[in-house]
Amino acid sequence: KAVKGIYPPGSTFKMITALAGLKSGLMDPKERVPCSGYYPFGSRVFHCWKRGGHGPQDLHGGIKNSCDCYFYEVARRTGPDVIADVARAFGFGQTFDIGISDVSKGLVPDSAWKLKRRKAPWNPGESLSYGIGQGFLIVTPLQLAVMSARIANDGRAVYPRLYRERGHVASAEPKPPVSMGVDAASLKLVQEGMWAVCNEPGGTAIVSGQINIPGVQIAGKTGTAQVRNISAGERAGGVISNDNLPWAMRDHALSVCYAPYDNQRYACSVVVDHGGGGSKVAGPIARDI
């Protein structure tokens, strides 16, 4: 499943949306986007995971608090093609030679893909779902780990290799980590946001206890990926909790991280099939690893 399982990445994808927004030049990282718990767009209303809203959020707060409304706005301005370009640079939509056959490529959608495969132009509302790691986008756990490693390595294209436990035989020759040309200041902002997730009061990973490792600071991001549509009627009456849903309808729980923050050595991704909340379920597993 690490190389063949495909999942919507949910909020673990928000760093890519942030980098795309900065690359486009359409988002100032200090600009504050209002979040009252919902984002009206056309005839639809897109909801934030926090029902009462987060209040105004800049890029740092958007990552730290995983504010959906902030990333709806970033994605709306940026559009699918820039998001797709950044996603591919960080390892999504591609396979890696680790000596295993039948590896999933996943799907990184853009406007050309939509026109070719769905015979329809890209709907601007689809960008909003894209920006929070939902919609057409699907990824593998390995790709999430590669993304984490490339963020940790200041935008260098590190490649995964598979080692045997005994003898240290690698699946491929090492490739030098080549710079991807990502703006250093933009990457620093994203790294600081991931640090805040795990270390600043209110960060989404703090509720999981993910930071409780003496002497080691983790930078990360949790995610909860929906696998079902939530109706307006259900929202009005209260969204059904994962515990009260059939297993196959529960959210996937995800977490990505790297550590130590000030001397990056390890990158990790965790996906728990239909596990529920990322911070409560996947975060503690990442901590233990």
Side-chain angles (χ1 to χ4, degrees), residues 69-82:
C69 289
Y70 178 83
F71 286 98
Y72 290 148
E73 180 64 14
V74 176
R76 182 193 68 80
R77 295 189 198 180
T78 305
D81 296 339
V82 180

Side-chain angles (χ1 to χ4, degrees), residues 243-255:
D243 292 340
N244 293 322
L245 288 168
W247 180 83
M249 295 179 67
R250 297 175 186 175
D251 300 331
H252 296 311
L254 303 96
S255 178

Side-chain angles (χ1 to χ4, degrees), residues 21-266:
L22 295 170
K23 180 181 178 180
S24 73
L26 299 173
M27 288 300 299
D28 183 327
K30 296 182 179 179
E31 179 183 351
R32 295 169 73 82
V33 174
C35 173
S36 56
Y38 62 92
Y39 184 98
F41 186 80
S43 61
R44 290 190 58 188
V45 174
F46 290 77
H47 293 268
C48 185
W49 69 267
K50 188 174 183 180
R51 187 164 186 171
H54 293 95
Q57 299 289 298
D58 59 10
L59 184 142
H60 184 84
I63 296 175
K64 168 188 166 182
N65 298 311
S66 197
C67 177
D68 292 329
C69 289
Y70 178 83
F71 286 98
Y72 290 148
E73 180 64 14
V74 176
R76 182 193 68 80
R77 295 189 198 180
T78 305
D81 296 339
V82 180
I83 295 175
D85 287 345
V86 175
R88 293 180 186 118
F90 278 85
F92 297 112
Q94 59 184 283
T95 59
F96 302 100
D97 180 14
I98 60 171
I100 295 177
S101 61
D102 195 20
V103 174
S104 296
K105 189 176 182 179
L107 173 62
V108 175
D110 55 22
S111 56
W113 171 87
K114 175 80 183 297
L115 197 60
K116 180 179 179 180
R117 297 300 299 271
R118 299 297 180 100
K119 311 300 181 186
W122 187 271
N123 185 325
E126 292 167 341
S127 294
L128 275 61
S129 296
Y130 200 175
I132 63 166
Q134 298 276 174
F136 302 120
L137 176 69
I138 48 175
V139 308
T140 68
L142 178 61
Q143 290 170 347
L144 287 168
V146 169
M147 174 198 71
S148 305
R150 292 183 178 186
I151 291 174
N153 280 274
D154 298 325
R156 296 182 181 89
V158 293
Y159 292 87
R161 289 186 296 157
L162 187 64
Y163 275 85
R164 294 180 183 172
E165 186 175 0
R166 298 180 182 276
H168 306 291
V169 178
S171 60
E173 291 298 317
K175 295 182 180 180
V178 179
S179 172
M180 301 186 303
V182 180
D183 179 67
S186 297
L187 262 173
K188 184 65 175 175
L189 290 169
V190 167
Q191 291 169 343
E192 290 172 348
M194 293 177 70
W195 179 88
V197 166
C198 299
N199 297 279
E200 281 189 3
T204 56
I206 287 179
V207 298
S208 71
Q210 191 175 0
I211 60 170
N212 295 333
I213 302 176
V216 178
Q217 288 189 337
I218 295 176
K221 184 77 186 73
T222 56
T224 304
Q226 285 182 205
V227 298
R228 68 187 184 96
N229 291 323
I230 300 174
S231 68
E234 182 182 339
R235 287 194 182 278
V239 177
I240 301 171
S241 69
N242 280 288
D243 292 340
N244 293 322
L245 288 168
W247 180 83
M249 295 179 67
R250 297 175 186 175
D251 300 331
H252 296 311
L254 303 96
S255 178
V256 297
C257 62
Y258 64 88
Y261 176 73
D262 55 354
N263 183 27
Q264 302 93 320
R265 247 191 115 174
Y266 304 102

